[in-house]
């Protein structure tokens, strides 16, 4: 095998490993280290927050958050869960890119990427259960897995749009695709 090709294949693993380490770094931090509430209190008044939050109650794990009574906690909750979706969407995309050179069908590569996401999400929750001021929740594994799936769906849709745009532009120029 070509040594440059082997190095290139190994380099595709670097983003996966770095993103995985970033996830574990975040899950090792305490809740207070990650809290965005001090920033929210600095930038917004309670009245300002109340003007934008809906009348909504969220039951998650062992807590209840009432948006109108706890607007800062509500916004932080949405931010944290949105961060889960983003982090695991990116992890799935990195994993798929690492697998892209393999000669398997795309569906199988996507399945492997999702299995990796689920494995890391499970390990992440296990790590959080052992971290200061953190709790572990099965709902987070589900949320992380959904994030990974959504990341792959968005990537596939973007690639399909890019191919269509490229094909249309070459057809307009009279080139053979």
């Amino acid at each position: 095998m070509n040594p440059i090709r082997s190095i290139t294949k190994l380099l595709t693993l670097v983003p996966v490993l770095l993103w995985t380490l970033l996830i574990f770094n975040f899950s090792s931090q305490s809740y207070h280290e990650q809290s965005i509430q001090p920033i929210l209190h600095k930038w917004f008044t309670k009245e300002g927050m109340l003007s934008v939050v809906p009348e909504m109650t969220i039951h998650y794990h062992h807590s209840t958050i009432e948006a109108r009574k706890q607007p800062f906690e509500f916004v932080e909750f949405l931010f944290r869960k949105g961060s889960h979706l983003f982090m695991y969407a990116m992890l799935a995309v990195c994993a798929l890119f690492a697998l892209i050179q393999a000669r398997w069908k795309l569906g199988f590569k996507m399945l492997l990427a999702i299995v990796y996401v689920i494995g890391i999400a499970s390990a992440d929750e296990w790590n959080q259960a052992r971290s200061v001021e953190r709790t572990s929740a099965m709902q987070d594994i589900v949320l992380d897995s959904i994030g990974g799936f959504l990341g792959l769906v968005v990537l596939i849709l973007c690639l399909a749009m890019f191919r269509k745009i490229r094909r249309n532009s070459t057809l307009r120029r009279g080139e053979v695709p």
Side-chain angles (χ1 to χ4, degrees), residues 105-149:
K105 293 186 183 256
L106 180 61
F108 184 66
K109 294 176 195 177
M110 290 175 71
L111 176 65
L112 288 176
I114 289 296
V115 167
Y116 183 73
V117 164
I118 293 169
I120 295 303
S122 300
D124 179 49
E125 289 306 307
W126 179 82
N127 185 45
Q128 281 187 31
R130 281 139 190 78
S131 296
V132 177
E133 297 179 13
R134 298 298 295 267
T135 56
S136 175
M138 185 66 169
Q139 296 104 316
D140 281 343
I141 296 172
V142 173
L143 183 69
D144 298 341
S145 302
I146 290 169
F149 178 76

Side-chain angles (χ1 to χ4, degrees), residues 1-12 100-103:
M1 180 176 237
N2 182 346
I4 292 177
R5 189 173 175 106
S6 297
I7 291 170
T8 302
K9 283 184 178 183
L10 283 174
L11 287 176
T12 61
I100 222 65
Q101 294 179 12
R103 296 183 182 191

Side-chain angles (χ1 to χ4, degrees), residues 78-99:
L78 293 181
F79 178 82
R80 292 174 75 87
K81 298 311 161 189
S83 296
H84 272 262
L85 289 171
F86 173 76
M87 294 298 288
Y88 283 90
M90 291 303 299
L91 181 63
V93 167
C94 290
L96 184 62
F97 274 120
L99 294 167

Side-chain angles (χ1 to χ4, degrees), residues 54-100:
E55 180 70 42
M56 179 185 281
T57 300
I58 296 176
H59 303 282
Y60 196 82
H61 198 44
H62 298 297
S63 63
T64 300
I65 300 170
E66 294 181 55
R68 302 297 292 170
K69 289 183 180 174
Q70 305 160 288
F72 294 100
E73 291 85 349
F74 176 76
V75 169
E76 181 177 60
F77 176 83
L78 293 181
F79 178 82
R80 292 174 75 87
K81 298 311 161 189
S83 296
H84 272 262
L85 289 171
F86 173 76
M87 294 298 288
Y88 283 90
M90 291 303 299
L91 181 63
V93 167
C94 290
L96 184 62
F97 274 120
L99 294 167
I100 222 65

